Amino acid sequence: MKLSVCALVTLLGAPVTSAFTVDFNLNTSSRTTKTSLDANSGSKGTGEGWLTRPSAPVNSEESARLTLAESLKGSTFKKRLSLLGSTGSIGTQTLEIVDACPDNFEIDALSAGNNAELMAEQVMKYSPKIASLASPEAAEELKDRLKALGCQKMPEIMHGDDGILACSTIDSADTVVTGIVGAAGLKPTIEAIKLKKDIALANKETLISGGPVINPLVEEYGVNLLPADSEHSAIFQCLQGVPAGGLRRVILTASGGAF
């Protein structure tokens, strides 16, 4: 999986506001059209989604106007992230964006597989409140490595499913980036949505296996569920503002391997 800098900044970079109104005045010789759009960010647990159809909204005038309005606001936002799968491809690229935009992002929680060495480096650099690995042995190794590195702000070190859930539901994070592989991302995503956290989704299995559950929850809790993986994000961004009937088909090659 690949994640472009532009893609994740676009997805995570909505300013942290509870509400805004955008007025557009289009004057022509025959008529004047005024459209008022009320939209709300799901960040900081407001429970108010990006649009009335918050799960990757496309093919509407509202989504096109909101995309433009958000882009014009610049990078004045602040996001607190919980990163699931921090040592994998999506995770490390997400952290590259955090490095590039240190005023805009903070890391509150990290979870990964069994790469205790890389997790120790990430903990020393980003000072998360929780760090979780897959096995108790890896968690113990992480603790030993952090002690050897002289870690002054020791996170709560956890492991297994409980650790992933703790990361996805940590109070201070407003956005959860799901970069873990397979159906393991389903339950953490559900619990994060219930706490009204925005989801940057790089785990397609979550929607493949749980779409009928996830989509109603997104609507019920009013959060933003946005695609963070490269192909999905590219399609999402290209569809912004496409009118109804303006798209016949999407051809997606097996760029990440056949599955």
Side-chain angles (χ1 to χ4, degrees):
M1 293 188 290
K2 295 181 179 179
L3 177 69
S4 69
V5 172
C6 292
L8 191 58
V9 170
T10 299
L11 295 175
L12 299 183
V16 180
T17 57
S18 59
F20 55 86
T21 299
V22 184
D23 290 324
F24 294 87
N25 290 283
L26 304 176
N27 294 311
T28 65
S29 58
S30 59
R31 69 182 188 277
T32 299
T33 301
K34 183 177 181 179
T35 300
S36 179
L37 169 65
D38 292 319
N40 299 279
S41 168
S43 300
K44 289 194 172 179
T46 63
E48 299 171 323
W50 202 47
L51 291 172
T52 56
R53 294 183 299 141
S55 183
V58 295
N59 295 336
S60 68
E61 180 180 339
E62 289 83 2
S63 64
R65 292 177 183 276
L66 183 55
T67 299
L68 175 61
E70 290 294 289
S71 300
L72 293 176
K73 288 185 178 181
S75 57
T76 59
F77 61 89
K78 184 73 172 182
K79 293 285 185 179
R80 303 188 69 95
L81 307 181
S82 171
L83 177 54
L84 310 183
S86 67
T87 61
S89 174
I90 290 293
T92 54
Q93 290 175 76
T94 299
L95 293 175
E96 288 176 6
I97 294 173
V98 173
D99 292 341
C101 308
D103 295 332
N104 303 120
F105 299 104
E106 287 192 35
I107 299 295
D108 284 335
L110 296 170
S111 78
N114 289 310
N115 192 339
E117 181 178 3
L118 180 53
M119 174 64 87
E121 295 175 8
Q122 293 176 347
V123 168
M124 293 298 292
K125 185 172 185 178
Y126 301 104
S127 300
K129 299 174 183 177
I130 300 175
S132 177
L133 289 172
S135 68
E137 294 79 13
E140 191 63 31
E141 180 185 348
L142 173 62
K143 186 180 299 184
D144 293 339
R145 286 181 176 276
L146 290 175
K147 288 179 179 178
L149 292 170
C151 182
Q152 298 297 311
K153 293 182 65 177
M154 188 71 72
E156 181 179 1
I157 298 176
M158 304 183 68
H159 66 272
D161 293 340
D162 289 343
I164 295 175
L165 280 177
C167 289
S168 68
T169 58
I170 187 170
D171 289 343
S172 53
D174 54 59
T175 302
V176 178
V177 181
T178 60
I180 55 179
V181 177
L186 180 57
K187 188 174 181 180
T189 301
I190 290 174
E191 296 306 315
I193 291 172
K194 288 180 178 179
L195 292 176
K196 300 178 181 178
K197 299 181 184 298
D198 290 341
I199 307 295
L201 189 69
N203 176 286
K204 54 184 172 290
E205 291 84 3
T206 293
L207 286 182
I208 292 172
S209 62
V213 175
I214 293 292
N215 287 329
L217 286 175
V218 167
E219 183 173 357
E220 177 182 353
Y221 289 95
V223 301
N224 299 319
L225 175 64
L226 296 168
D229 200 7
S230 54
E231 291 89 348
H232 317 115
S233 178
I235 294 171
F236 167 72
Q237 293 180 61
C238 288
L239 287 177
Q240 297 302 309
V242 174
L247 178 70
R248 186 171 66 178
R249 68 168 62 96
V250 173
I251 299 175
L252 181 62
T253 62
S255 61
F259 54 88

